[in-house]
Amino acid sequence: MKGKEISSVENINSHIEEIENHAKIAVSVDCVIFGYDMEELKVLTIECNMDPYKGHPSLIGDLLDEGEDLDQAANRILKERTGIDNLYLEQIKTFGKVDRHPLGRVITVTYFALVKKADYNSNGMRPSPNSQWIALSQIEEMAFDHLTITNVALDTLRKKLLEYPIWMKLLPIDFSLPELQNLFENIIGKPLDKRNFRKKILSLDIIQESGKKQKDVPHRPANLYRVNQKKLKKEYSFLLKNPFHN
Amino acid sequence: MKGKEISSVENINSHIEEIENHAKIAVSVDCVIFGYDMEELKVLTIECNMDPYKGHPSLIGDLLDEGEDLDQAANRILKERTGIDNLYLEQIKTFGKVDRHPLGRVITVTYFALVKKADYNSNGMRPSPNSQWIALSQIEEMAFDHLTITNVALDTLRKKLLEYPIWMKLLPIDFSLPELQNLFENIIGKPLDKRNFRKKILSLDIIQESGKKQKDVPHRPANLYRVNQKKLKKEYSFLLKNPFHN
DNA sequence: ATTTGATTGTGTATTTTTTACACTAAGTAA
DNA sequence: TTACTTAGTGTAAAAAATACACAATCAAAT
């Protein structure tokens, strides 16, 4: 019995040693921050000041602190860079190629975040002077493996779009159906049929007319809708119905 | 011009320092190894010998080595534990809560792997004596946050099942439709209608009759099919058709 | 040889979802 | 008042999903 306990203590020590003596690695968190200005889908970037990528746009990120959860770090970075708390945030994937960073080994855990223009503009947030929103269609090269990361983020966003109405995180409270359709087209990358799109969205039964209309547009103003939070409660699947049946 | 170069060097040094001096963290890779013995979906576990989880089943994993890519590490671990190379492997998610490991901070990058029984049994592989396959339905508690990880893995597997025929990685070359249906039912967790299931699978047009039949079964033997690798080439989407239309 | 038991394999009708497609309505600007 | 621009609407056809029951084939037992 006592022998067992002693060996147990030895055991713990050996485990601690194993962790302590083992390779420790710098871990960063990088965020693909998507924003939608009612025209195009954009990504917030910062100019890289590190060779050999100097001048290229790079994602927003930082090294992970010792006592910091991953999600915490992502939230901290978003707060620092956009001034906004509680953005919609979702982990994408972790990139860990040994040579992915020119200055040493850094594993990066990536997230995507969704920002609506209103939030972004409202609270006097000043992103660092060399940061800028780049339209997805305009992104050609990025620092490090950030272009890959951005593509994976977009892919994740696309899939998620069909599972949960995260698109509301990119829109103001009141939005029109043409605006929503434009957002979808931006994310999916294809034009959609107006009537079929409306039919589908309305059949989801999660948005309702706000009673308001668009203002200051030089044409027929669209009706404005908003998400019905009550209907949103229940988990629902957009298209991923059970493919078979019991 | 020269000034610029110097400041650039300083810049690099400051960046290197930033990485070098920053918190470095132990990173592990944990694998949810799914296996299918033609009866149930199982997960390969090892008995945890670390308090306070001693005796609980734990996932197969190891700390990441200095010069090792994440995928490499996952493959190494699988090779070590199952003796098999080139298992189907996919990254799931990274778990990084500060207190997730009792002996210090360890961030874990998780993967799921798919093993067919034939591979597992064939090449004299000896999993460590205290490892065992546990049926998914029998898993009640696990060490660390491994139960959460297993659940996320299962969820990922379910979704992937509808996007790509990874189920073939869990089956022998020749398999019957009832066997495939049973596998689906195990993964999805619901019974499926036999006729509708067959109709759907056959409509995918990726499997073909092998001409063989089941042997040594005490009832009518089923026809055996195999995946037609040629038809598999092209990317295809199982169910995720474009929900709208241009 | 016949029967029993277990499981495989098959088809159709109904409902739901997706797709294709074009004109009128409501505003602003000239 | 007219021209311009974008919003908003419905229906028919095709495709996919669903519900559902019985005959066929083998092994094992009698």
Side-chain angles (χ1 to χ4, degrees):
Chain A
M1 211 60 174
K2 219 159 195 177
K4 239 184 187 168
E5 273 169 25
I6 289 174
S7 92
S8 176
V9 168
E10 276 167 7
N11 210 331
I12 287 180
N13 285 337
S14 81
H15 282 301
I16 290 181
E17 265 174 44
E18 196 184 330
I19 292 176
E20 286 307 313
N21 296 338
H22 212 92
K24 292 196 173 185
I25 297 170
V27 176
S28 68
V29 170
D30 283 311
C31 297
V32 182
I33 306 176
F34 289 112
Y36 178 59
D37 58 5
M38 306 312 258
E39 305 234 328
E40 277 185 291
L41 191 63
K42 297 186 174 174
V43 175
L44 189 59
T45 64
I46 191 166
E47 196 183 314
C48 183
N49 63 353
M50 199 183 295
D51 279 323
Y53 300 114
K54 192 166 293 193
H56 289 191
S58 122
L59 294 175
I60 308 297
D62 197 7
L63 289 165
L64 180 66
D65 287 334
E66 193 96 47
E68 195 177 39
D69 288 349
L70 290 168
D71 291 353
Q72 269 175 22
N75 273 304
R76 168 176 62 81
I77 290 163
L78 288 174
K79 173 78 177 170
E80 282 170 13
R81 299 296 188 172
T82 68
I84 317 168
D85 269 328
N86 291 113
L87 284 178
Y88 182 86
L89 199 57
E90 190 168 327
Q91 196 188 114
I92 304 168
K93 195 181 170 183
T94 297
F95 293 81
K97 280 228 168 301
V98 170
D99 59 359
R100 60 171 291 282
H101 199 292
L103 302 183
R105 180 154 203 202
V106 184
I107 286 175
T108 192
V109 182
T110 62
Y111 286 78
F112 77 81
L114 304 179
V115 192
K116 50 188 81 177
K117 200 189 177 191
D119 283 350
Y120 182 74
N121 286 332
S122 69
N123 47 2
M125 145 258 198
R126 268 263 51 76
S128 64
N130 46 1
S131 77
Q132 65 170 325
W133 290 96
I134 306 185
L136 221 54
S137 56
Q138 303 302 311
I139 295 180
E140 282 171 359
E141 50 183 4
M142 296 184 83
F144 314 103
D145 49 2
H146 288 188
L147 188 57
T148 302
I149 294 172
T150 302
N151 285 327
V152 175
L154 181 58
D155 218 63
T156 310
L157 179 61
R158 279 182 185 144
K159 279 184 189 151
K160 191 79 185 186
L161 196 63
L162 305 178
E163 290 174 21
Y164 189 83
I166 46 173
W167 41 261
M168 67 182 169
K169 308 294 180 180
L170 288 164
L171 290 172
I173 292 173
D174 293 319
F175 57 89
S176 72
L177 288 179
E179 285 164 351
L180 179 56
Q181 180 175 343
N182 181 267
L183 173 56
F184 264 75
E185 291 174 331
N186 262 276
I187 297 177
I188 296 176
K190 301 188 209 182
L192 301 172
D193 178 82
K194 184 165 46 161
R195 280 180 285 194
N196 294 335
F197 178 78
R198 289 167 163 260
K199 209 184 304 174
K200 184 73 193 171
I201 292 293
L202 292 174
S203 77
L204 296 178
D205 194 33
I206 53 168
I207 66 174
Q208 60 188 168
E209 291 198 50
S210 72
K212 298 181 202 165
K213 279 174 185 266
Q214 262 183 331
K215 296 221 157 153
D216 302 320
V217 285
H219 54 73
R220 176 175 178 178
N223 289 327
L224 298 182
Y225 291 78
R226 57 177 58 184
V227 172
N228 183 336
Q229 299 293 335
K230 280 172 201 162
K231 305 240 175 178
L232 208 59
K233 290 286 162 60
K234 56 171 185 274
E235 205 77 5
Y236 81 97
S237 134
F238 195 120
L239 276 174
L240 288 173
K241 300 269 176 62
N242 186 348
F244 310 101
H245 188 264
N246 60 332
Chain B
M1 212 59 175
K2 221 162 192 173
K4 236 186 189 167
E5 272 168 27
I6 288 172
S7 92
S8 176
V9 169
E10 276 167 5
N11 211 331
I12 287 180
N13 285 337
S14 80
H15 282 301
I16 290 181
E17 266 174 44
E18 197 183 330
I19 293 177
E20 286 307 312
N21 296 339
H22 212 92
K24 291 198 176 186
I25 298 169
V27 176
S28 69
V29 170
D30 284 310
C31 298
V32 182
I33 306 177
F34 288 113
Y36 178 58
D37 59 6
M38 308 310 259
E39 306 235 326
E40 276 185 292
L41 191 63
K42 298 188 171 172
V43 176
L44 188 60
T45 64
I46 192 167
E47 196 183 314
C48 184
N49 62 351
M50 201 183 296
D51 279 322
Y53 299 115
K54 192 167 294 197
H56 290 190
S58 123
L59 294 174
I60 308 296
D62 196 6
L63 290 165
L64 180 65
D65 287 334
E66 192 95 46
E68 195 176 39
D69 287 349
L70 290 169
D71 292 354
Q72 269 174 23
N75 273 303
R76 168 175 63 81
I77 290 163
L78 289 174
K79 172 78 178 171
E80 282 169 14
R81 297 297 187 174
T82 68
I84 317 170
D85 268 327
N86 292 113
L87 284 178
Y88 183 87
L89 200 57
E90 191 168 327
Q91 196 188 113
I92 304 167
K93 197 180 168 183
T94 298
F95 294 81
K97 280 230 168 299
V98 170
D99 59 0
R100 60 171 292 281
H101 198 292
L103 301 183
R105 181 153 203 204
V106 183
I107 287 175
T108 192
V109 182
T110 62
Y111 285 79
F112 76 83
L114 304 180
V115 192
K116 49 188 82 178
K117 202 190 179 191
D119 283 350
Y120 182 73
N121 286 332
S122 68
N123 47 3
M125 146 255 196
R126 268 265 49 76
S128 66
N130 45 2
S131 77
Q132 64 171 325
W133 289 96
I134 306 185
L136 221 54
S137 57
Q138 303 303 311
I139 295 180
E140 282 171 0
E141 50 183 5
M142 295 184 84
F144 314 104
D145 51 2
H146 287 188
L147 188 56
T148 303
I149 294 172
T150 302
N151 284 328
V152 175
L154 181 58
D155 219 63
T156 310
L157 178 60
R158 277 181 185 145
K159 278 182 190 153
K160 192 77 186 187
L161 197 63
L162 306 178
E163 289 174 22
Y164 189 83
I166 45 173
W167 40 262
M168 66 180 168
K169 308 294 180 181
L170 288 165
L171 290 172
I173 292 173
D174 293 319
F175 57 89
S176 72
L177 287 178
E179 285 164 349
L180 179 57
Q181 181 174 343
N182 181 268
L183 173 57
F184 264 76
E185 290 174 332
N186 262 277
I187 296 176
I188 296 175
K190 302 188 208 179
L192 301 173
D193 179 81
K194 185 166 42 163
R195 281 180 284 195
N196 295 336
F197 178 78
R198 287 166 165 259
K199 209 183 306 174
K200 184 71 194 173
I201 293 292
L202 292 174
S203 78
L204 297 178
D205 194 32
I206 52 168
I207 66 174
Q208 57 188 170
E209 290 198 52
S210 71
K212 298 181 202 165
K213 280 175 184 267
Q214 260 183 333
K215 296 221 158 157
D216 302 319
V217 284
H219 54 73
R220 177 176 179 178
N223 289 326
L224 298 182
Y225 291 77
R226 57 178 59 183
V227 172
N228 183 337
Q229 299 294 335
K230 281 172 199 162
K231 305 242 175 176
L232 208 59
K233 290 287 162 60
K234 56 171 184 272
E235 205 76 6
Y236 81 97
S237 134
F238 195 120
L239 277 174
L240 288 173
K241 299 269 173 63
N242 186 348
F244 310 100
H245 189 265
N246 60 330

